Amino acid sequence: MNADPRLYVALDLPSVGEARTLTQALGDAAISYKIGLQLLPIGGMDLARELIDAGKNVFLDFKFHDIDATVEKAVHSVAGLGANILTVHARPDVMAAAARGKAGSGLKVIGVTVLTSLDKPALEAIGYADDAKTLVMNRTQQALDAGIDGIVSSPLEARAVRASVPDDFLIVTPGVRMPGGDKGDQKRVATPFDALQSGASHIVVGRPINAARDPRQAATEITANMRGE
Ligand code: C5P
């Protein structure tokens, strides 16, 4: 089995021990992992360091959003760790501060545009008049202007984003489900193959792998789907 580095497996689990068990079960079926808010307060950074030392790709999904000085210094702290990707909220001031914080490092900073769990009614309830696609496109332009490395969007916006950005701009899409798969709370979803065909550079998959009876089998099927097999 050759793991596809474009597949980030979300380690959304209740403990570092369970996350470590999942990485062991996946073995060579996965090489890229996303650590988010669930593990951050309970040893997530120790696990991140372990994975980095083991040669895995690590995506820290911390969605920073604070005043400029704090964002810049927080991103600077992350930049020295050896992780591949870090998220911040896609607000112009936050993204500009993040670009300063990571300057000179190999860290890729990407902006979270619109959560993939939000559809039009949910956006209206928050007070946004624009639909998801309009918001994503505006925030993509702001990410380019700020000089960060990419954005997070749903697969449904990836094609329009890809048409407006350079080839090396990262488009990372959660909201990925196998045909007929359980969507959970995700609203704007597509298959792994369709997400990549639409222009995603990387996909994030959580529950379809981390809650699967056989995670290795699930990751293998997703990797095959990514390749159109
Ligand atoms: O379990 P599931 O595949 O839905 O997990 C998706 C992962 O992607 C979660 O870790 C979630 O926090 C993250 N994410 C998302 N939508 C975004 C940004 C991150 O679902 N816009």
Side-chain angles (χ1 to χ4, degrees):
M1 173 71 209
N2 280 333
D4 191 318
R6 298 173 300 173
L7 168 63
Y8 271 92
V9 177
L11 295 175
D12 298 330
L13 290 164
S15 70
V16 163
E18 283 158 274
R20 199 176 282 125
T21 302
L22 176 64
T23 63
Q24 287 160 358
L26 286 168
D28 61 1
I31 191 163
S32 305
Y33 290 100
K34 182 174 89 71
I35 294 177
L37 298 176
Q38 188 174 2
L39 285 186
L40 175 60
I42 51 170
M45 289 311 301
D46 294 334
L47 178 63
R49 270 183 282 270
E50 258 176 61
L51 292 170
I52 291 165
D53 289 347
K56 313 290 185 197
N57 302 314
V58 172
F59 171 176
L60 299 174
D61 188 12
F62 296 163
K63 299 187 176 73
F64 287 160
H65 185 187
D66 209 316
I67 61 169
D68 291 5
T70 302
V71 170
E72 182 174 340
K73 284 184 263 186
V75 172
H76 186 72
S77 297
V78 172
L81 299 175
N84 294 70
I85 302 179
L86 170 72
T87 46
V88 302
H89 276 264
R91 253 183 42 182
D93 50 340
V94 171
M95 294 189 285
R100 290 193 296 276
K102 70 151 208 142
S105 76
L107 179 70
K108 304 278 190 196
V109 174
I110 61 176
V112 178
T113 56
V114 179
L115 293 175
T116 41
S117 55
L118 301 178
D119 57 9
K120 179 86 173 116
L123 288 169
E124 277 170 10
I126 303 171
Y128 285 120
D130 288 330
D131 59 15
K133 186 162 173 198
T134 306
L135 284 167
V136 169
M137 296 312 292
N138 287 343
R139 290 170 179 184
T140 296
Q141 187 54 51
Q142 290 164 346
L144 285 166
D145 294 343
I148 64 166
D149 305 285
I151 55 107
V152 183
S153 75
S154 94
L156 305 188
E157 294 97 36
R159 190 176 301 281
V161 173
R162 180 53 72 201
S164 70
V165 298
D167 288 349
D168 62 353
F169 192 80
L170 302 188
I171 301 176
V172 179
T173 64
V176 171
R177 293 293 182 265
M178 289 293 272
D182 181 3
K183 290 208 287 188
D185 55 356
Q186 299 286 15
K187 301 271 171 41
R188 304 183 346 263
V189 302
T191 66
F193 180 76
D194 288 342
L196 295 171
Q197 285 294 305
S198 301
S201 57
H202 300 82
I203 61 173
V204 171
V205 181
R207 286 161 291 185
I209 294 175
N210 66 40
R213 213 170 14 89
D214 184 344
R216 185 179 164 84
Q217 171 76 12
T220 303
E221 285 171 13
I222 287 167
T223 304
N225 183 282
M226 290 167 73
R227 294 172 180 162
E229 291 162 10

